[in-house]
Amino acid sequence: MKYKSHPMRHFTLLAAFVSLLTQARAQEPLKAHLAPCGSLGLSDWLKESRFRQPVQDRSEDTMWVAVKTHLLGKDSGTGRIAIEKYLDSFCQLNEDFGPSNIQFFMKDGWNLLNETDWHVHTTIPEGIDMMLTNNVPDALNAYFVADPAGNCGYNLPYAGVAIAHGCSGDNDHTWAHEVGHALNLPHPFIGWEGKQYNFNTPTPTVLTYDYTYFHDTLDTQVPAPLDTALVEFKDGSNCAIAADRICDTPPDYLSYRWECDASKKSIAKQKDPSGAEFYSDGTLFMSYALDQCQNRFSPEEINIMRATLLSEKLNWLSPEMPLEPVTASPVAIAPVQDQFVGISGAILSWNAVPNATHYLVQASRFTNFSFKQVDIVTTDTFAIAGQLTPNLKYYWRIRPFNNRHTCAPFSALSTFITSTDVETNEPDAEGWRWYPSVLSAGQSLNLEMPQSWQGSEIMCRMYNAAGQLMWQQKQHWTARQNSLEIPSSQWPAGIYQLILSGDQGVKAMKLTVGR
């Protein structure tokens, strides 16, 4: 959708606009290699049904739309969109559609595809092949790729939408724009795609455009005919038959990514075929205004999208209410505060968050997580790290989500330090695992227990090598992963025995307390 390169086209702007334009460029990275949007045309539904009878929505209830997301990578599995960026994109999509009472949920999670020729495809037919090969029925299919045929995004009415990695994430409205197309919304400047508006030449009354590949059905084997669009007048006198045929979206002739002023209007002045001057409305998601200008679908656009879901896209709707919101952030249990862990198989654990079904867990040597040594999605409240570099400090965090709510933030950062002196033994025959086997004074012990021991009262006792009871405490653990605080800071270094006893029996563990 979005052409993010916006060279200065107007050299006579007032000085008051300078800071605004500088801020716009800082917020939107340059993406000169991507066109705004590959979608063209006016759907048959909008042409044939929209104005024969008024668009009437049957209710104001929230419509729950199933989305099947496909995350593309190269043949090697690399190059996929970062999961946190995808979650931000899904959150932004639902925020953008909030006023319409249309909300989206992930149907059976996401699909991981490794295919370089789809990950970066140069033609729309390659995208058609990608979608028709992998589409899941009864859902809006969305494909996140590195380059969708040189565009920030496009919609194929008979297949799905494609989104570029570089045109996704928080505060980017590309996905909303392409879903608008999927729900029968055209560009407000339809007919101007690929054309450069020139204020100094007479504005035509009719425009011709080629919408090959973007018909309502797959008919690309036959050359697509050219279509025509009437140019909309400023006074709205022909709004029902011109351009997008939507009367509460004012005329717009700008088919490139454009800046807006403080009132969200285009800086570029235009004039209609009668000579009446106007500025485009940058608030509309279906325009090509910069992201910081856009914030809405018009009321009539919302009616069209809801009517589409109640007719030709009825199979996308779910009769069941998706999960409740995820609003809380997790709290790390262990390791925290620079605790030492082994370089292989360290367990990262946290508390459960209400309504969360999944957690994104990340660990990095850097606080900005520019490079991640751990990047895992799990349904548990723990994750097992792979091989880590010894004698380094790591930062780690957790983000909860479910199939509908992906806006919850990451937890606060926790830290640990890797050490080759810390052993993380494999689970024994009963399913017990504990580490580190060598405890620094005052360090917590991480426990992984079999399911039969979970949810019961357990007595914990620590004995020294002479058999003296050093400490005891009752614990009630409900999760598989737990952290046991042992008051060993005043104990002598040496070998100790931890005895756990409960209704299930007795478990003994040998530990070393060091200095």
Side-chain angles (χ1 to χ4, degrees):
M1 167 188 145
K2 300 191 171 79
Y3 180 70
K4 307 279 178 142
S5 177
H6 19 271
M8 183 69 73
R9 296 181 175 86
H10 310 283
F11 297 93
T12 59
L13 300 178
L14 296 175
F17 291 131
V18 172
S19 62
L20 177 66
L21 300 185
T22 301
Q23 180 184 19
R25 287 183 175 83
Q27 292 177 354
E28 298 219 4
L30 296 177
K31 297 172 185 172
H33 64 292
L34 295 178
C37 171
S39 302
L40 292 169
L42 199 67
S43 72
D44 291 341
W45 184 91
L46 200 59
K47 285 191 259 188
E48 297 173 7
S49 304
R50 164 69 183 86
F51 293 106
R52 290 184 179 177
Q53 55 186 358
V55 176
Q56 297 292 335
D57 189 3
R58 298 174 189 173
S59 77
E60 293 301 319
D61 294 341
T62 299
M63 293 178 166
W64 297 99
V65 178
V67 174
K68 186 61 182 181
T69 308
H70 308 266
L71 307 182
L72 273 293
K74 300 177 184 178
D75 293 342
S76 61
T78 61
R80 214 180 310 278
I81 188 172
I83 295 300
E84 66 268 28
K85 190 173 186 181
Y86 166 72
L87 296 178
D88 288 342
S89 297
F90 197 86
C91 173
Q92 188 67 59
L93 176 67
N94 275 322
E95 287 185 357
D96 289 346
F97 274 84
S100 70
N101 282 341
I102 297 171
Q103 293 290 273
F104 302 87
F105 68 95
M106 288 179 268
K107 180 177 181 178
D108 303 323
W110 51 70
N111 183 27
L112 302 181
L113 295 174
N114 298 332
E115 177 58 64
T116 299
D117 290 342
W118 291 335
H119 181 249
V120 176
H121 56 272
T122 58
T123 67
I124 296 297
E126 290 174 298
I128 295 173
D129 176 62
M130 172 184 70
M131 294 182 184
L132 297 186
T133 301
N134 299 287
N135 272 2
V136 171
D138 300 327
L140 165 64
N141 283 265
Y143 292 78
F144 280 77
V145 301
D147 186 344
N151 303 287
C152 257
Y154 61 80
N155 166 68
L156 297 174
Y158 44 82
V161 301
I163 310 294
H165 294 173
C167 305
S168 57
D170 193 26
N171 297 318
D172 194 300
H173 307 298
T174 301
W175 202 354
H177 179 105
E178 300 305 338
V179 172
H181 283 316
L183 296 177
N184 282 319
L185 296 186
H187 295 136
F189 52 83
I190 190 168
W192 287 100
E193 293 94 339
K195 302 176 179 66
Q196 183 70 44
Y197 171 78
N198 188 338
F199 183 85
N200 297 316
T201 61
T203 302
T205 58
V206 178
L207 295 168
T208 303
Y209 62 94
D210 184 346
Y211 62 113
T212 302
Y213 307 130
F214 296 99
H215 297 190
D216 284 3
T217 58
L218 181 60
D219 55 3
T220 57
Q221 299 305 313
V222 178
L226 296 177
D227 203 353
T228 57
L230 297 177
V231 175
E232 187 174 355
F233 284 81
K234 176 187 176 182
D235 63 8
S237 56
N238 66 343
C239 66
I241 58 173
D244 60 3
R245 307 190 184 191
I246 301 173
C247 286
D248 64 355
T249 59
D252 178 6
Y253 305 159
L254 305 180
S255 63
Y256 56 85
R257 292 297 274 158
W258 48 269
E259 298 101 353
C260 63
D261 61 19
S263 63
K264 308 292 186 183
K265 297 293 186 181
S266 66
I267 295 169
K269 182 168 63 174
Q270 300 143 78
K271 61 184 176 183
D272 71 10
S274 72
E277 297 179 353
F278 67 92
Y279 297 88
S280 297
D281 183 354
T283 65
L284 297 171
F285 289 134
M286 300 310 295
S287 76
Y288 278 179
L290 298 184
D291 283 308
Q292 60 264 31
C293 306
Q294 300 178 2
N295 57 35
R296 72 184 183 107
F297 293 106
S298 75
E300 195 168 341
E301 285 178 326
I302 290 172
N303 283 342
I304 290 170
M305 291 191 294
R306 291 180 68 88
T308 298
L309 287 169
L310 290 171
S311 54
E312 65 175 9
K313 302 298 184 183
L314 187 63
N315 62 313
W316 289 0
L317 293 179
S318 172
E320 299 180 2
M321 183 70 69
L323 294 171
E324 292 299 313
V326 179
T327 57
S329 291
V331 176
I333 295 175
V336 295
Q337 298 179 344
D338 290 351
Q339 287 181 342
F340 287 97
V341 303
I343 62 173
S344 179
I347 298 177
L348 313 178
S349 62
W350 57 91
N351 70 309
V353 172
N355 303 319
T357 59
H358 293 74
Y359 301 89
L360 172 61
V361 190
Q362 298 177 335
S364 175
R365 294 167 52 192
F366 311 102
T367 55
N368 64 359
F369 288 79
S370 56
F371 180 75
K372 309 176 190 75
Q373 281 78 12
V374 176
D375 194 17
I376 299 171
V377 174
T378 179
T379 57
D380 293 311
T381 55
F382 69 93
I384 300 176
Q387 192 72 24
L388 300 173
T389 305
N391 305 316
L392 289 176
K393 182 173 182 174
Y394 283 84
Y395 303 87
W396 71 284
R397 61 187 184 179
I398 318 105
R399 179 171 176 175
F401 64 97
N402 61 32
N403 69 346
R404 156 66 182 90
H405 297 271
T406 65
C407 299
F410 279 101
S411 65
L413 292 186
S414 296
T415 60
F416 62 84
I417 297 174
T418 53
S419 173
T420 54
D421 295 330
V422 179
E423 298 179 8
T424 55
N425 56 304
E426 294 298 319
D428 63 16
E430 300 172 82
W432 286 95
R433 184 169 182 250
W434 61 95
Y435 75 93
S437 58
V438 180
L439 287 172
S440 300
Q443 184 178 7
S444 299
L445 180 70
N446 295 290
L447 289 170
E448 180 178 336
M449 62 178 57
Q451 186 174 6
S452 60
W453 282 69
Q454 298 169 31
S456 62
E457 188 108 306
I458 299 173
M459 176 60 75
C460 307
R461 296 183 177 91
M462 185 73 82
Y463 297 87
N464 65 13
Q468 295 174 311
L469 178 64
M470 302 296 294
W471 165 81
Q472 66 177 359
Q473 179 177 296
K474 281 187 176 181
Q475 296 283 143
H476 185 82
W477 289 315
T478 59
R480 184 183 180 193
Q481 298 294 327
N482 301 279
S483 179
L484 179 60
E485 301 291 334
I486 299 174
S488 60
S489 59
Q490 303 302 317
W491 298 353
I495 304 298
Y496 291 81
Q497 191 87 346
L498 174 63
I499 305 297
L500 304 182
S501 58
D503 294 339
Q504 297 81 1
V506 177
K507 182 64 181 179
M509 304 173 188
K510 183 183 291 186
L511 303 170
T512 300
V513 174
R515 283 289 176 269

